[in-house]
Amino acid sequence: EVQLVETGGGLIQPGGSLRLSCAASGFTVNSNYMSWVRQAPGEGLEWVSVLYSDGFTYYADFVRGRFTISRDNFENTLYLQMNRLRAEDTAVYYCARGGPAAAPMDVWGKGTAVTVSS
Amino acid sequence: IQLTQSPSFLSATVGDRVSITCRASHDISSKLVWYQQKPGKAPNLLIYGASTLQSGVPSRFSGSGSGTEFTLTISSLQPDDSATYYCHQLKSYPITFGRGTRLEIK
């Protein structure tokens, strides 16, 4: 079964760091575009980052320099390292297979909630 | 590229034909996707390439348009269609979403 499962969310103080994980099954992360999308409470969807199969990455302006997307091919897992967290980063973070026009996001995890608060 | 969805809220009756519009601030060709999201759930891909129905999605859903104006149509509304619908452009980075249309079934 094709599936994504995110873990690693929680409550973190402003300025802190957190690493989200997204374990894939039924397909290989390194052969696909993989993205992170977030949704603040009561708000819409907001694209965060994408990782291409060739290793190329793109970030939304509001996370560039603070967040890093990566993968572990052996573990078949996607990661999002989040540093210097701000209150406005509070959201449910979803990982998804796909990203660019050639591969729209067709498989999504259930999401992991991140709350940045003192 | 900014995406403007209208309306932001829609209330309709089972069996109605409903349409949601998404306007892009720049030409995005046909690089538009539609998602359905129910409360507490991840988005579900409905339409990609502006008009191609994702496998497993009921045929009452359809998409049209190109360039800067796009439409998602539900031909005969069902109770299970109560959700928020988002358009999403993949033409250029940063890839963006519309603000969503909440569809209520009367």
Side-chain angles (χ1 to χ4, degrees):
Chain A
E1 181 191 6
V2 173
Q3 192 176 3
L4 292 167
V5 179
E6 303 96 333
T7 55
L11 175 63
I12 186 78
Q13 290 191 339
S17 297
L18 211 54
R19 189 178 79 158
L20 307 182
S21 300
C22 170
S25 55
F27 71 98
T28 55
V29 164
N30 67 357
S31 300
N32 287 271
Y33 302 99
M34 297 294 299
S35 296
W36 288 97
V37 174
R38 72 184 187 183
Q39 187 167 35
E43 300 295 324
L45 300 168
E46 192 170 50
W47 172 77
V48 174
S49 182
V50 64
L51 174 60
Y52 285 31
S53 56
D54 64 5
F56 194 76
T57 59
Y58 262 114
Y59 297 93
D61 287 346
F62 53 80
V63 302
R64 188 175 295 118
R66 299 189 299 127
F67 291 10
T68 303
I69 191 171
S70 64
R71 66 184 176 227
D72 183 319
N73 296 340
F74 181 77
E75 297 290 336
N76 204 29
T77 298
L78 180 74
Y79 299 102
L80 186 67
Q81 177 67 43
M82 305 187 296
N83 298 330
R84 304 201 307 274
L85 282 160
R86 307 165 179 166
E88 54 266 36
D89 295 319
T90 294
V92 173
Y93 285 74
Y94 296 100
C95 69
R97 183 178 72 178
M105 291 178 274
D106 64 341
V107 179
W108 294 65
K110 295 186 189 311
T112 186
V114 173
T115 302
V116 184
S117 175
S118 54
Chain B
I1 296 175
Q2 294 190 359
L3 298 176
T4 303
Q5 278 185 243
S6 60
S8 56
F9 175 77
L10 181 56
S11 183
T13 303
V14 170
D16 282 355
R17 179 184 180 89
V18 301
S19 293
I20 298 168
T21 297
C22 179
R23 289 188 174 87
S25 60
H26 296 79
D27 186 338
I28 59 170
S29 183
S30 60
K31 293 181 172 41
L32 188 98
V33 172
W34 290 97
Y35 289 101
Q36 175 194 66
Q37 187 182 32
K38 297 184 178 181
K41 302 292 187 183
N44 181 45
L45 175 63
L46 297 176
I47 303 277
Y48 63 93
S51 61
T52 302
L53 194 67
Q54 172 70 352
S55 175
V57 173
S59 59
R60 63 180 181 274
F61 291 92
S62 64
S64 64
S66 67
T68 60
E69 187 148 339
F70 302 86
T71 303
L72 173 70
T73 300
I74 308 173
S75 61
S76 179
L77 203 59
Q78 298 301 304
D80 190 52
D81 299 336
S82 177
T84 300
Y85 293 83
Y86 293 94
C87 60
H88 173 49
Q89 69 81 17
L90 299 170
K91 171 68 172 175
S92 64
Y93 290 108
I95 50 181
T96 48
F97 291 87
R99 294 175 67 88
T101 295
R102 188 163 70 91
L103 175 57
E104 174 193 85
I105 311 298
K106 289 179 187 172

